[in-house]
Amino acid sequence: MTNLTLEQAEGWIKKACAKATQLGVKVSVYVVDSGGNPVAFARMDGAGVLTPDIARAKAYTAIAFKSHSKDIAERMKDRPAAALGLTQASGNRVVFLPGGVLAKKGEEIHGAIGVSGASSDQDHECGLEAIAT
Amino acid sequence: MTNLTLEQAEGWIKKACAKATQLGVKVSVYVVDSGGNPVAFARMDGAGVLTPDIARAKAYTAIAFKSHSKDIAERMKDRPAAALGLTQASGNRVVFLPGGVLAKKGEEIHGAIGVSGASSDQDHECGLEAIAT
Amino acid sequence: MTNLTLEQAEGWIKKACAKATQLGVKVSVYVVDSGGNPVAFARMDGAGVLTPDIARAKAYTAIAFKSHSKDIAERMKDRPAAALGLTQASGNRVVFLPGGVLAKKGEEIHGAIGVSGASSDQDHECGLEAIAT
Amino acid sequence: MTNLTLEQAEGWIKKACAKATQLGVKVSVYVVDSGGNPVAFARMDGAGVLTPDIARAKAYTAIAFKSHSKDIAERMKDRPAAALGLTQASGNRVVFLPGGVLAKKGEEIHGAIGVSGASSDQDHECGLEAIAT
């Protein structure tokens, strides 16, 4: 287990927001640590009121399935019964939508970032950009 | 009702984990008794943070439907409305995914083991191996 | 409704964290707008895993009752049945604890900040400091 | 953040159960890591069907408040409104009862153990014994 600091999380958020600005979209960005617990979050001016909670769920989903939420969303696409069960088993903490990006440090999970407010592809892109080094 | 002891449950968990190690995967393993109540559980180092709750739901599902969760998952695959209703009626305790394996003792239900963290087939295989005598 | 910007929210968070550092405590700080919706949040390194959710509930409570959460907590202290009803009616979004501080702009509600992780008095003090001009 | 292994968790559980046996009581013992996520659990033969969930909540509570659950339970004793709000804010994951014991490694939180099934004092004692070195 690595230690994700607030400083790192805020750095990721800044990068995700910069990418969103470049794309001309307004998003919420949420960072969780390797245990799935919240570290930091920001909603850009003009982003929707529910985007913070969706962003959090996306970030948690990346941690829960140890993959980008885009990948697990793809696997769940035609399996509503399975998706439902996993959602309930998680206490409604997961969501099967792109935009949750897993960050690793070598082999270990370092944390995850969730982005919500734009298109699925754009959300995912902002997340990837945030953790790119 | 048969009596599933903690010692038996821990024996199952050890076998399921041994199988997972052999397959090169990291899983959580959860055992419930014939009443669907928890007996024991273990999360292998490196298994995801949500796998314990999914494993529990799989084990409970096997008890609830008196079959391997793989079989009921197959039956629910194209029936999201039915899956939803059953999930709600269970107080969100069931999940329609392979990996919950029912253990019988003669004709009687003895308990169930749920495995989560690998592919559906691997989860199921670990569960089967655990209760094989 | 006034417009609380992300920039202002992040300014409040910085001030609350600076006060916490001065007091030698680790807290989470959560800002919501006048609609009770999330704007930004930060968990200081070392603050507990549940403090973000508590901080959010405190901030929401300040908006919901148009007062510092300390005041409504005081009024609810010996009224568990009333507290229960309000909690349920809010969809479990309120918490009757000090640390949620209401920010006004003239007569209008501008937003609220919630702080969790230290003593009730310290949480409240960090919140007040954050919005002091 | 430290790494609590399954082997360590199982060692704690064995010790807690040994203490319970010595006291002549039947308990469930649940171990969570520093992020509040489950690691391992065991219900002794004869312990009640709800004790696993109570033990888990106690362990999570120790992590959430960075103290033995006995201490936070003491502080909440005459504050039902506050206890209610914290319970809801946690998604019903905390419980204000003795028996959740926090384990530290130097200054860092290492994990927590929750015990349920005997008297509050006995639960707490079993937990303390488990992590004693």
Side-chain angles (χ1 to χ4, degrees):
Chain A
M1 210 181 282
T2 66
N3 285 313
L4 176 64
T5 65
L6 174 56
E7 194 182 344
Q8 288 173 303
E10 290 182 334
W12 289 357
I13 289 174
K14 237 174 251 319
K15 282 189 199 168
C17 290
K19 184 68 189 175
T21 299
Q22 186 188 315
L23 293 172
V25 295
K26 310 287 192 188
V27 298
S28 280
V29 184
Y30 207 106
V31 174
V32 302
D33 64 22
S34 60
N37 290 305
V39 180
F41 134 75
R43 172 160 65 113
M44 290 172 72
D45 298 338
V49 297
L50 189 55
T51 53
D53 289 318
I54 300 172
R56 177 179 180 166
K58 288 178 177 180
Y60 182 80
T61 302
I63 294 294
F65 296 99
K66 297 202 275 187
S67 66
H68 297 332
S69 67
K70 184 189 175 102
D71 298 336
I72 180 78
E74 184 61 31
R75 275 162 31 215
M76 285 298 133
K77 203 173 51 170
D78 302 315
R79 302 170 62 196
L84 170 69
L86 290 171
T87 302
Q88 301 291 10
S90 76
N92 299 318
R93 284 182 291 177
V94 301
V95 63
F96 299 111
L97 286 171
V101 167
L102 190 68
K104 290 195 162 186
K105 205 173 183 174
E107 288 305 296
E108 287 200 89
I109 292 173
H110 191 43
I113 184 167
V115 181
S116 172
S119 74
S120 288
D121 281 349
Q122 290 169 326
D123 287 344
H124 182 67
E125 198 181 342
C126 291
L128 281 181
E129 183 80 13
I131 64 163
T133 44
Chain B
M1 203 186 285
T2 66
N3 287 313
L4 175 64
T5 65
L6 174 57
E7 193 180 346
Q8 288 173 302
E10 289 181 335
W12 290 357
I13 289 173
K14 238 176 249 319
K15 282 190 198 167
C17 290
K19 185 68 188 176
T21 299
Q22 186 188 314
L23 293 172
V25 294
K26 311 287 192 187
V27 297
S28 280
V29 185
Y30 207 106
V31 174
V32 302
D33 63 20
S34 60
N37 291 303
V39 179
F41 134 75
R43 172 159 66 114
M44 290 172 71
D45 298 338
V49 297
L50 188 56
T51 54
D53 289 319
I54 300 172
R56 177 180 181 166
K58 289 177 177 180
Y60 183 82
T61 302
I63 294 294
F65 296 98
K66 298 201 258 187
S67 66
H68 297 332
S69 66
K70 182 190 176 103
D71 299 337
I72 180 76
E74 185 60 33
R75 280 172 14 224
M76 286 298 132
K77 203 173 50 171
D78 302 314
R79 301 170 62 197
L84 172 65
L86 291 170
T87 302
Q88 300 289 8
S90 76
N92 300 321
R93 284 182 293 178
V94 301
V95 63
F96 299 111
L97 286 171
V101 167
L102 191 69
K104 291 192 160 187
K105 203 172 184 175
E107 288 306 297
E108 286 200 272
I109 291 173
H110 191 43
I113 184 166
V115 181
S116 172
S119 73
S120 288
D121 282 349
Q122 289 170 326
D123 288 344
H124 183 67
E125 196 181 345
C126 290
L128 282 180
E129 182 81 13
I131 64 164
T133 44
Chain C
M1 201 184 286
T2 67
N3 286 312
L4 176 64
T5 64
L6 175 56
E7 194 180 346
Q8 287 172 303
E10 289 181 335
W12 290 356
I13 290 174
K14 237 175 251 321
K15 283 189 197 166
C17 290
K19 184 68 189 177
T21 299
Q22 187 188 315
L23 293 171
V25 295
K26 311 285 193 189
V27 298
S28 281
V29 184
Y30 206 106
V31 175
V32 301
D33 63 20
S34 59
N37 292 303
V39 179
F41 133 76
R43 172 159 66 114
M44 290 172 72
D45 298 338
V49 297
L50 188 56
T51 53
D53 288 320
I54 300 171
R56 177 181 181 164
K58 289 177 177 181
Y60 184 82
T61 302
I63 293 293
F65 296 98
K66 297 201 258 185
S67 66
H68 298 331
S69 67
K70 182 188 175 106
D71 299 336
I72 180 76
E74 186 60 32
R75 285 178 3 231
M76 286 298 131
K77 203 173 51 171
D78 302 314
R79 302 169 62 197
L84 173 65
L86 291 170
T87 302
Q88 300 289 7
S90 76
N92 300 321
R93 285 182 291 179
V94 301
V95 63
F96 299 109
L97 285 171
V101 167
L102 190 69
K104 291 192 162 187
K105 204 172 182 173
E107 288 305 296
E108 287 200 90
I109 291 173
H110 191 43
I113 184 166
V115 181
S116 172
S119 74
S120 287
D121 282 348
Q122 290 170 326
D123 288 343
H124 182 68
E125 196 180 345
C126 291
L128 282 180
E129 182 80 14
I131 63 162
T133 43
Chain D
M1 207 181 282
T2 67
N3 286 313
L4 176 64
T5 65
L6 174 57
E7 194 180 346
Q8 288 172 302
E10 290 181 334
W12 289 356
I13 290 174
K14 239 176 249 320
K15 282 189 198 167
C17 291
K19 184 68 188 177
T21 299
Q22 186 188 315
L23 294 171
V25 295
K26 311 287 192 188
V27 297
S28 280
V29 185
Y30 207 106
V31 175
V32 301
D33 63 21
S34 60
N37 290 305
V39 179
F41 133 76
R43 172 160 66 113
M44 291 173 70
D45 298 338
V49 297
L50 189 56
T51 54
D53 288 319
I54 301 172
R56 177 180 180 165
K58 288 177 177 181
Y60 182 81
T61 302
I63 293 294
F65 296 98
K66 298 201 276 185
S67 65
H68 298 332
S69 65
K70 183 190 176 104
D71 299 336
I72 180 77
E74 184 61 31
R75 285 179 2 229
M76 286 297 132
K77 204 174 50 173
D78 302 314
R79 302 171 63 196
L84 170 69
L86 290 171
T87 302
Q88 302 290 9
S90 76
N92 299 317
R93 284 183 290 177
V94 302
V95 62
F96 299 110
L97 285 171
V101 167
L102 190 68
K104 291 194 162 187
K105 205 171 182 175
E107 287 306 297
E108 287 200 89
I109 292 174
H110 191 43
I113 185 166
V115 181
S116 172
S119 73
S120 287
D121 281 349
Q122 290 170 326
D123 287 344
H124 183 67
E125 196 180 344
C126 290
L128 282 180
E129 183 79 14
I131 63 163
T133 44

